[in-house]
Amino acid sequence: MPSMLVIATTAVPDHLRGALSRWTIEVVPGIFVGTVSARVREELWDAAAAVVGDGAAVLIHPAATEQGYEIRTAGTRRRTPMDFDGLVLMRMAAATHQPKTVNELQSPF
């Protein structure tokens, strides 16, 4: 039975966006929404996870969980789903900022 899914992408190859748009609609840049079967959903996610590279992708779809949905992630990301006794929460990793050097802080004028 078909069910709704949402796939959010960041910095992924254009060919992935094209493949996703064959089965879903891109409502805003990088956010794909559609109603597909479980088999199509798995094939789309496998394709996305295989080519996401340095980008990021998140899949949200209905599931028999306490929250009523499942979250999957692929690629580099600061947010990671964590299971806490059946409740999935998003864990935020610290940003990896490099301290600026004195030369970068000085004005070019």
Side-chain angles (χ1 to χ4, degrees), residues 7 19-20 35 56 60 73 76 88-90 104 109:
I7 298 176
L20 291 173
T35 303
I60 302 168
T73 61
T76 59
V88 177
L89 302 175
M90 297 305 284
E104 292 174 331
F109 301 106

Side-chain angles (χ1 to χ4, degrees), residues 81-102:
M82 302 291 294
D83 185 285
F84 291 94
D85 295 329
L87 181 66
V88 177
L89 302 175
M90 297 305 284
R91 179 178 183 202
M92 188 78 159
T96 57
H97 291 284
Q98 296 294 328
K100 292 190 175 191
T101 65
V102 174

